[in-house]
Amino acid sequence: MARDHSHSPPRPDHPPPQTRHRFLDLALNELLIERGLYTEAELRDMIASIDSVDPSTHGARVVARSWIDADFRRRLLNDANAAIADIGMDPGTAQLRVLENTPETHNVVVCTLCSCYPRALLGRPPAWYRDREYRARVVREPRAVLAEFGLSLAEEQTVRVHDSTAELRFLVLPERPAGTGHLAESELAGLVTRDGMIGVAKR
Amino acid sequence: MNVPQSRPHDLGGSPAGPVDQAPHEIPFREQRIDAMVNLMRTKGVISDWAELRAGIEALTPEEYEQLGYYERWAIVAAEIAVRRKLVTREELDARIRHLAEKAS
């Protein structure tokens, strides 16, 4: 299976499909349905259920709540899974830790080994989160990577990079912007982005 | 000092170019693999996410480099389904041949 790499570097996450691998997933899916492991309807429901998780309606809601409810914020930082379940949301099956940004410390999340991500709160990870470049570089030169995302941090602000695992996921809690004291929880949630909760944006 | 060679998935700290931030639409095929693996997990065929990750980490460097992200998931899911005796390797291979012929 010789492939000519001389003209361009390999892009491990977006190669053209090869024959065996091209049909393996479809073959496996058909056989699992025939064996009765799950039905076509369950597959459709699962796709819809994964699609329904959106950072703006899930993660951002948790962040906004923590901005207006000091008791919730304390519980969230102490035991995120329990605090999130308490407000009727699904924190996911892995242990979740919420990382509080402060004027002194900025947090950013990566999974250097694969793509572990708080999917119950942020949905599917963006392609760049799974790509070689982000995973390789953010642990070595986080400030340079954050600058590429348009986030320039003050020299004196500490950057902490958190490497996720299958068992432990992270969600960044951005700082509440100044001058938002009059906003309702749903309006505050509108200020929070996916990138802010990964830590590659201010909020 | 004998430094163990790092596995292909272990990317932290290695040199790499700029991050490609362009949004990627997720193709239906990848959504289906994602859902299939999640169903295998909720039905108890995959015992936990660490099992999926262990399978991905066991891929050869060639496989890891050449496969797409969700293709790696599908390969490991197939290995696990064979190990749990839900399907046999022969059944999988026969179905792959059938699908490939149908598509050509």
Side-chain angles (χ1 to χ4, degrees), chain A residues 3-114:
Chain A
R3 290 211 307 162
D4 184 2
H5 284 159
S6 58
H7 300 298
S8 61
R11 289 296 309 269
D13 285 327
H14 312 284
Q18 299 164 25
T19 310
R20 184 185 154 77
H21 302 137
R22 197 170 141 211
F23 294 105
L24 174 66
D25 57 287
L26 189 55
L28 179 62
N29 182 53
E30 285 187 4
L31 288 166
L32 291 178
I33 290 172
E34 287 166 27
R35 296 293 180 278
L37 183 69
Y38 53 81
T39 64
E40 285 278 4
E42 283 180 293
L43 185 73
R44 280 195 303 274
D45 289 349
M46 180 59 85
I47 291 173
S49 150
I50 294 170
D51 275 344
S52 72
V53 180
D54 189 281
S56 66
T57 52
H58 289 66
R61 209 183 124 201
V62 171
V63 171
R65 170 65 67 93
S66 81
W67 283 349
I68 59 168
D69 181 342
D71 183 54
F72 175 71
R73 182 188 186 91
R74 193 178 46 73
R75 284 183 288 131
L76 185 68
L77 293 170
N78 186 43
D79 181 347
N81 298 70
I84 291 168
D86 277 353
I87 59 168
M89 293 180 63
D90 174 16
T93 50
Q95 190 193 339
L96 180 71
R97 188 172 300 158
V98 171
L99 310 163
E100 183 182 32
N101 280 352
T102 65
E104 293 77 35
T105 305
H106 180 86
N107 296 284
V108 59
V109 177
V110 64
C111 177
T112 60
L113 295 178
C114 45

Side-chain angles (χ1 to χ4, degrees), chain A residues 12 20 35 42 115 119 140, chain B residues 13 43 67 69 91 93:
Chain A
R20 184 185 154 77
R35 296 293 180 278
E42 283 180 293
S115 60
R119 288 175 57 135
R140 186 191 285 276
Chain B
K43 304 279 184 182
L67 295 170
Y69 176 78
E91 288 169 326
D93 287 341

Side-chain angles (χ1 to χ4, degrees), chain A residues 77-182:
Chain A
L77 293 170
N78 186 43
D79 181 347
N81 298 70
I84 291 168
D86 277 353
I87 59 168
M89 293 180 63
D90 174 16
T93 50
Q95 190 193 339
L96 180 71
R97 188 172 300 158
V98 171
L99 310 163
E100 183 182 32
N101 280 352
T102 65
E104 293 77 35
T105 305
H106 180 86
N107 296 284
V108 59
V109 177
V110 64
C111 177
T112 60
L113 295 178
C114 45
S115 60
C116 297
Y117 189 72
R119 288 175 57 135
L121 295 164
L122 301 184
R124 295 189 185 90
W128 57 258
Y129 185 86
R130 308 172 341 209
D131 279 349
R132 164 183 294 273
E133 290 76 15
Y134 181 75
R135 290 161 53 196
R137 288 178 54 223
V138 76
V139 289
R140 186 191 285 276
E141 42 173 3
R143 285 174 196 274
V145 172
L146 294 178
E148 280 175 33
F149 279 90
L151 178 60
S152 298
L153 298 175
E155 272 302 316
E156 58 273 19
Q157 197 176 24
T158 302
V159 183
R160 288 218 179 97
V161 183
H162 302 262
D163 198 354
S164 318
T165 68
E167 299 81 20
L168 177 62
R169 313 290 166 98
F170 300 103
L171 185 82
V172 174
L173 181 57
E175 288 181 81
R176 180 174 179 167
T180 57
H182 61 291

Side-chain angles (χ1 to χ4, degrees), chain B residues 5-80:
Chain B
Q5 177 154 15
S6 78
R7 304 275 308 152
H9 63 276
D10 191 359
L11 292 177
S14 50
V19 178
D20 175 7
Q21 296 173 44
H24 292 268
E25 199 68 37
I26 178 161
F28 179 71
R29 177 182 177 220
E30 297 189 352
Q31 296 185 30
R32 192 180 58 218
I33 298 175
D34 193 0
M36 174 176 75
V37 168
N38 271 281
L39 280 164
M40 289 175 73
R41 168 80 183 86
T42 55
K43 304 279 184 182
V45 175
I46 295 175
S47 46
D48 55 31
W49 294 122
E51 184 178 21
L52 185 72
R53 201 178 84 178
I56 289 168
E57 292 177 3
L59 295 173
T60 66
E62 292 72 30
E63 286 173 317
Y64 192 87
E65 292 291 326
Q66 291 176 7
L67 295 170
Y69 176 78
Y70 283 102
E71 284 180 325
R72 293 179 202 139
W73 280 33
I75 286 191
V76 176
E79 292 290 328
I80 294 171

